[in-house]
Amino acid sequence: MSSTRVLVLNSGSSSLKYQLLDMADSARLAVGLVERIGEETSRLKHTPLTGDGAERERTGPIADHEAALKAVAAELAADGLGLDSPELAAIGHRVVHGGLKFTEPTVIDDAVLAEIERLVPVAPLHNPANITGIRTARALRPDLPQVAVFDTAFHTTMPEAAARYAIDVATADQHRVRRYGFHGTSHAYVSRTTAELLGKAPEDVNVIVLHLGNGASASAVRGGRCVDTSMGLTPLEGLVMGTRSGDLDPAVIFHLARVGGLSIDEIDTLLNKKSGLIGLCGDNDMREIRRRVDEGDEQARLAFDIYIHRLKKYIGAYYAVLGRVDAIAFTAGVGENAAPVRAAAVAGLEELGLAVDGELNAVRGDEPRLISPGYARVKVAVVPTDEELEIASQTYALVGRHEERLRRMGN
Ligand code: ADP
């Protein structure tokens, strides 16, 4: 029996999201998530996509990630998709921070795990949860190849001029302070899919990708390689996000500490959790913000305008970085669904060859599509992102190559 299934795991500090895919035809066999791990009110939602596909939900305490993964394994087994199946080829893990070392998906062994642990100081909120997920999955299936797919990997091609902050080099290097970028799996998938949509090879296309979810980032992709991105040392830099401020004068932090009397932890929470759209107007869901704008709510209007102003600045900046732009691609929750955001971000940029067709922009859909008028020199695209499929594809391709290498070494 051939092994073509890949389980994709995305471990957060108190959650575990998963998808089981069959790479023979890229079909999803099951999806689900465990939330509030470690609390009394943990919840597992599991949807098998074979058979009748009815969602199942369990509530009740799930103590830790090990218990969570075991509960997921039991749900999958109940659908005949158990983790002990010979059809399972590998487990692919989303790992947020791969530093400079991990430029590609990597088969996990003890040394790789140690290196991911070494990166915890630069990703204290994310890497520990990813490490827990990896350890748990390895304990459950020690014989199975496990692959780490890094959020930072796609951005490791950024030139030093884009990746370095203009601060003292020795201090920066000592503390590994530089711009790493995140959402890389999405930027890679969306830039490649945009090239396909234009009927061109990725090497021949320059794309600005706008990943606008609750977290948001922009990237400039030249010929399939990332040359700049808006997130930096952490996912706080860049665009206005649901709850994060994005760019600000770093002296705001000194001011809030010295004059405002806030602690570093309070400022951290302020900028990461209480800023962005929610800080500006009390809502971080673009649907709600648009509803308020349409009702004439001034605070929501200002939040929307600040969001769009920043987005436009990045489009202009990355246009200049790339020199020639073939397409701009909108993706993630806001980018895929919020037609007013897409229209406003591109409005007034006709001189740059950019325009959105109102009717095409209003059409909803799950497929990659163009929303620019035929005459537009720079195409505007909506490309639904699929990070799980990308992680599964990269994992499957790597495991195939890995096994081929092992076979050759054995001969
Ligand atoms: P993340 O993965 O960063 O949590 P998503 O990419 O799922 O986020 O995006 C979530 C956001 O997408 C929501 O907070 C909301 O603002 C926005 N969103 C989702 N659906 C719509 C919609 N129909 N119209 C406008 N915005 C939407």
Side-chain angles (χ1 to χ4, degrees):
M1 194 184 296
S2 66
S3 311
T4 53
R5 291 180 189 160
V6 176
L7 178 66
V8 176
L9 294 181
N10 181 354
S11 311
S13 56
S14 65
S15 69
L16 175 68
K17 292 189 198 143
Y18 62 94
Q19 292 199 1
L20 182 68
L21 293 99
D22 191 335
M23 298 317 292
D25 55 0
S26 301
R28 254 163 267 256
L29 304 176
V31 303
L33 87 157
V34 189
E35 294 172 295
R36 300 196 287 271
I37 296 173
E39 294 177 33
E40 288 300 308
T41 55
S42 315
R43 181 167 63 171
L44 189 162
K45 266 199 223 170
H46 175 84
T47 309
L49 300 172
T50 53
D52 68 0
E55 180 182 291
R56 303 198 290 271
E57 193 173 310
R58 310 249 148 123
T59 47
I62 295 179
D64 51 26
H65 280 76
E66 188 181 342
L69 189 56
K70 283 188 174 153
V72 170
E75 293 296 334
L76 288 168
D79 299 324
L81 301 168
L83 296 194
D84 51 358
S85 159
E87 287 171 80
L88 187 61
I91 299 181
H93 296 267
R94 175 185 182 216
V95 179
V96 169
H97 215 310
L100 290 182
K101 188 149 181 153
F102 295 113
T103 59
E104 290 186 347
T106 306
V107 176
I108 300 168
D109 58 18
D110 291 342
V112 168
L113 195 53
E115 186 60 30
I116 297 172
E117 282 186 317
R118 222 174 60 80
L119 289 162
V120 166
V122 283
L125 298 179
H126 297 103
N127 274 28
N130 302 154
I131 291 164
T132 307
I134 292 170
R135 281 195 196 292
T136 308
R138 284 180 97 201
L140 218 57
R141 279 297 307 268
D143 54 316
L144 198 67
Q146 314 239 353
V147 172
V149 178
F150 300 93
D151 253 24
T152 47
F154 184 61
H155 304 303
T156 54
T157 51
M158 271 196 291
E160 286 293 281
R164 284 217 174 249
Y165 293 109
I167 63 172
D168 173 68
V169 172
T171 308
D173 287 351
Q174 184 187 353
H175 300 290
R176 287 181 281 176
V177 172
R178 59 185 283 123
R179 312 189 53 257
Y180 295 97
F182 299 89
H183 290 145
T185 309
S186 176
H187 287 282
Y189 175 84
V190 170
S191 56
R192 208 177 55 237
T193 307
T194 305
E196 275 169 28
L197 190 62
L198 300 186
K200 295 192 174 162
E203 305 81 69
D204 298 332
V205 175
N206 292 352
V207 188
I208 297 174
V209 179
L210 304 170
H211 176 113
L212 311 177
N214 205 19
S217 62
S219 69
V221 183
R222 175 181 290 132
R225 291 163 69 86
C226 178
V227 292
D228 206 351
T229 194
S230 59
M231 284 178 168
L233 174 74
T234 76
L236 182 56
E237 193 179 347
L239 299 173
V240 175
M241 311 185 207
T243 67
R244 297 184 202 130
S245 63
D247 294 337
L248 44 78
D249 179 347
V252 168
I253 296 165
F254 317 143
H255 179 79
L256 290 175
R258 291 186 187 127
V259 180
L262 274 71
S263 70
I264 289 295
D265 285 342
E266 284 169 338
I267 300 171
D268 191 329
T269 304
L270 176 79
L271 299 181
N272 274 297
K273 304 235 166 82
K274 299 181 184 171
S275 296
L277 293 171
I278 208 158
L280 289 166
C281 75
D283 272 310
N284 63 334
D285 192 314
M286 192 51 83
R287 282 164 289 205
E288 186 57 18
I289 293 170
R290 281 307 309 176
R291 196 188 57 71
R292 287 173 55 187
V293 170
D294 291 342
E295 283 176 355
D297 183 321
E298 285 301 321
Q299 206 186 0
R301 173 88 245 169
L302 181 61
F304 184 80
D305 288 350
I306 295 170
Y307 184 93
I308 296 296
H309 181 77
R310 186 82 52 84
L311 201 49
K312 224 173 222 179
K313 278 187 13 181
Y314 270 91
I315 293 173
Y318 288 173
Y319 207 118
V321 165
L322 290 170
R324 187 203 84 219
V325 180
D326 297 294
I328 294 193
F330 286 91
T331 193
V334 175
E336 291 166 28
N337 296 298
V341 169
R342 298 191 295 254
V346 169
L349 303 183
E350 293 80 6
E351 286 290 322
L352 297 179
L354 274 158
V356 159
D357 177 296
E359 271 179 34
L360 292 176
N361 191 28
V363 176
R364 302 185 61 84
D366 298 331
E367 295 296 315
R369 58 198 184 273
L370 293 180
I371 58 167
S372 43
Y375 63 79
R377 198 158 34 81
V378 178
K379 304 298 174 206
V380 181
V382 179
V383 179
T385 193
D386 196 337
E387 288 167 281
E388 289 77 17
L389 176 62
E390 181 69 13
I391 291 172
S393 309
Q394 293 193 9
T395 298
Y396 191 60
L398 179 61
V399 166
R401 288 200 299 276
H402 183 64
E403 284 177 353
E404 176 65 21
R405 211 165 32 239
L406 291 180
R407 250 196 313 277
R408 275 207 305 268
M409 277 160 58
N411 285 340

